[in-house]
């Protein structure tokens, strides 16, 4: 059998087509070599992101029809709240339109100007919201995470020495809170171990520091704990999730990933003060505290999707489909981040295009070249995403310069994975002929979304 067997059957299809070579050439140039600026009509297989791109189940669609659209006190909100309480174990829930709405409220509340937010590894929107509140986000992930070849099974873990150094340098009062991303997106979908979370809680209690999770891909992290951490082999995913969350004060959550929906988010907490403050603020920015920017039907879909997304059989298929694509590439000699992560395969662009200097944006270049070859849309996750140093204004060139092939949940078949792998392998064979890019337009915030590039000649 090629690839993992899907634990579902397909009830509805959406037609997609491969644009001609001429159209692909034109489309990527019109988009300034930025895959975010392509029209989706020009895309055959869309691996830009796993965010909001899920296929929902019949159970979720049935829930959509039952959505209660009352402005206040919607029945759907209480189903949403109950699902979060049951699956994650938090008592208090504040709905938001998507993850960054929750980041705005939570990080904005807990960060004072001049404070530091240590996090295993930054995520673009998270870093931007901490900076908007006047803080600085600093990475304290273990060194192994910066090495694509390192096979540590928990490459998302925090390094306590790095955390201690920050506390010694700035003093505990300057640390706003400690932020932990569960399954670290920017390092390749790498999990945090339960042991690391347990030890972090003991560490932070000594300094009375709050711990806030970015729990966006926590169900996928829980799957890895069950697969890799001694003692959890037979533990239900929900029990693993509840134990993970017990080591935090609260979390932000983009429901567009592990909750298997197209839109939604929330923050949740065990802490009454955080709850009271953010519940007060949500009405200013998102909507009333019983909808927070979502329609009733969206909350109903999240409630059902959070439970479905924590089912072991589903997660097993999901993670093995990503692995299937990664293994096809590895077999052909393409360097990818190892171990293969949960939500995507990350190509090491520095190894793929070693002839390009960093300021010719190797990952951006490769992402554009993949589109031009096959109409597969991927995303840069390297120096363009990282942005500039806040103090010096210089470009930051992180060790990881990656192209992310992000797999939407329950959307593509294993044959789509094979088509994608064939395109990348074809390019790999003629990689010396690929030329770099020059950035010609750079927006101030989250530049990777809208930056434009021109192709350099050989
Ligand atoms: N992640 C992703 O594609 C979508 C936006 S950036 C291209 O990976 C984490 C860990 C995320 C995330 C979004 C957000 C923001 C917070 N934390 O997109 O606002 O991966 O729902 O969530 C994206 P929203």
């Amino acid at each position: 059998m090629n690839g993992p067997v899907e634990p579902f059957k397909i009830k509805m299809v959406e037609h997609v087509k491969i644009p001609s070579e001429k159209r692909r050439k034109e489309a990527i140039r019109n988009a300034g070599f930025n895959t975010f600026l392509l029209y989706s009509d020009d895309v055959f297989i869309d691996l830009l992101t796993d965010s909001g791109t899920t296929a929902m189940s019949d159970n979720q669609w049935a829930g959509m029809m039952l959505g209660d659209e009352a402005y206040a006190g919607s029945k759907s909100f209480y189903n949403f709240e109950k699902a979060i309480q049951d699956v994650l174990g938090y008592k208090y829930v504040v709905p938001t339109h998507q993850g960054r709405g929750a980041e705005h409220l939570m990080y904005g509340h807990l960060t004072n100007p001049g404070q530091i937010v240590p996090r295993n590894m930054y995520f673009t929107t998270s870093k931007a919201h901490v900076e908007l509140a006047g803080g600085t986000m600093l990475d304290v992930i273990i060194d192994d995470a910066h090495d694509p070849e390192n096979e540590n099974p928990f490459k998302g873990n925090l390094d306590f020495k790095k955390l201690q150094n920050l506390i010694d340098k700035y003093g505990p009062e300057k640390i706003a809170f400690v932020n932990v991303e569960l399954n670290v997106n920017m390092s390749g979908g790498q999990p945090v171990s339960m042991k690391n979370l347990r030890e972090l809680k003991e560490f932070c209690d000594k300094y009375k520091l709050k711990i806030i999770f970015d729990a966006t891909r926590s169900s996928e992290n829980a799957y890895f704990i069950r697969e890799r951490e001694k003692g959890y082999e037979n533990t239900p995913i929900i029990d693993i999730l509840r134990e993970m969350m017990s080591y935090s004060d609260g979390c932000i959550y983009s429901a567009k990933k592990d909750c298997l929906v197209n839109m939604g988010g929330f923050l949740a907490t065990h802490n009454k003060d955080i709850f009271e403050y953010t519940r007060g603020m949500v009405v200013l920015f998102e909507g009333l505290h019983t909808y927070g920017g979502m329609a009733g039907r969206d909350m109903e879909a999240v409630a059902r999707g959070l439970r479905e997304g924590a089912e072991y059989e589903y997660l097993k298929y999901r993670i093995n489909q990503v692995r299937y694509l990664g293994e096809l590439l590895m077999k052909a000699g393409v360097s990818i981040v190892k171990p293969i992560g949960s939500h995507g395969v990350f190509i090491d662009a520095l190894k793929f295009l070693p002839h390009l200097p960093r300021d010719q944006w190797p990952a951006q270049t490769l992402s554009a070249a993949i589109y031009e070859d096959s109409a597969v849309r991927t995303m840069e996750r390297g120096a363009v995403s990282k942005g500039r140093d806040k103090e010096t204004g210089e470009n930051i060139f992180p060790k990881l310069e990656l192209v992310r092939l992000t797999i939407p949940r329950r959307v593509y078949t294993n044959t789509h994975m094979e088509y994608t792998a064939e395109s990348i392998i074809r390019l790999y064979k003629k990689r010396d002929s690929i030329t770099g890019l020059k950035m010609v337009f750079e927006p101030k915030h989250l530049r990777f979304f809208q930056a434009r590039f021109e192709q350099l000649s050989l």
Side-chain angles (χ1 to χ4, degrees), residues 397-443:
F397 293 107
K399 286 201 180 117
L400 297 176
E401 176 74 7
L402 308 172
V403 172
R404 188 179 76 171
L405 315 174
T406 342
I407 314 301
R409 295 167 180 78
R410 307 190 292 210
V411 171
Y412 291 114
T413 64
N414 296 328
T415 316
H416 288 119
M417 299 299 107
E418 289 160 16
Y419 174 91
T420 301
E422 277 171 22
S423 163
I424 292 163
I425 294 164
R426 193 161 48 240
L427 279 177
Y428 187 60
K429 289 184 179 148
K430 53 171 187 186
R431 58 191 180 280
D432 294 345
S433 64
I434 299 174
T435 59
L437 297 174
K438 179 174 158 207
M439 197 187 289
V440 291
F441 171 69
E442 178 177 355

Side-chain angles (χ1 to χ4, degrees), residues 103 106-108 111-112 114-141 166 170 174-181 184 186 212-214 252 386 388-391 396:
E103 289 174 330
M106 179 74 98
Y107 302 165
T111 314
N112 292 319
Q115 283 191 313
I116 304 295
V117 177
R119 169 162 166 140
N120 39 0
M121 189 179 260
Y122 87 102
F123 182 70
T124 50
T125 55
S126 318
K127 180 168 170 273
H129 277 291
V130 165
E131 287 176 2
L132 199 63
T136 303
M137 182 170 269
L138 295 174
D139 292 359
V140 292
I141 200 163
L166 287 184
Y170 296 100
K174 267 209 123 181
I175 308 292
F177 59 97
V178 177
N179 196 203
V180 182
E181 186 182 339
V184 182
M186 298 301 285
I212 302 296
F213 288 168
D214 181 332
I252 71 93
K386 183 82 182 183
R388 290 177 181 271
D389 186 293
K390 229 172 56 157
E391 311 293 324
I396 307 171

Side-chain angles (χ1 to χ4, degrees), residues 258-271:
D258 281 4
C259 293
L260 304 173
V261 292
N262 306 118
M263 190 43 93
F266 58 89
L267 65 85
T269 177
H270 307 295
N271 179 312

